[in-house]
Amino acid sequence: MKYLLIFILVLVIFVISVTLGAHNDQIVSFNYLLAQGEYRVSTLVATLFAVGFLLGWAVCGLFWLRVRVTLAHSQRKLKRLQQQLGQAEESVTVSQTSAVKE
């Protein structure tokens, strides 16, 4: 449900940007870091929206990947500690059993 709402929100933003851009065929001067260009408003809005969308997904994807790697590492560590704890409990049980028999 959460992903559906996010998808609908992105779709609404995209439709609004396309609608606003389609009604504005004016040429604007866009100064960016290395140069300057003359673009139509519709092209500029669509391009900047797409770049921002992709950049946002890339940043979120990197954070998600970092969390997944950390989770996998923690799960391996937890499994290793549980095995060590099981072995320690077995040795304690064996020593207690042999002490009771003597």
Side-chain angles (χ1 to χ4, degrees), residues 13-87:
I13 291 171
F14 181 72
V15 168
I16 289 172
S17 65
V18 168
T19 304
L20 290 175
H23 294 318
N24 292 315
D25 287 335
Q26 297 173 353
I27 302 293
V28 292
S29 176
F30 183 68
N31 296 323
Y32 46 97
L33 189 59
L34 300 176
Q36 175 181 352
E38 299 284 328
Y39 303 103
R40 289 188 327 185
V41 172
S42 59
T43 306
L44 191 60
V45 167
T47 303
L48 292 178
F49 177 78
V51 168
F53 185 76
L54 293 175
L55 185 63
W57 270 102
V59 168
C60 289
L62 290 175
F63 280 114
W64 178 82
L65 184 63
R66 189 177 90 184
V67 167
R68 293 298 296 176
V69 168
T70 304
L71 178 64
H73 176 70
S74 298
Q75 286 175 337
R76 281 194 308 268
K77 188 174 180 179
L78 178 64
K79 188 180 286 187
R80 193 177 325 121
L81 289 173
Q82 286 174 339
Q83 288 174 352
Q84 289 176 356
L85 181 63
Q87 290 173 355

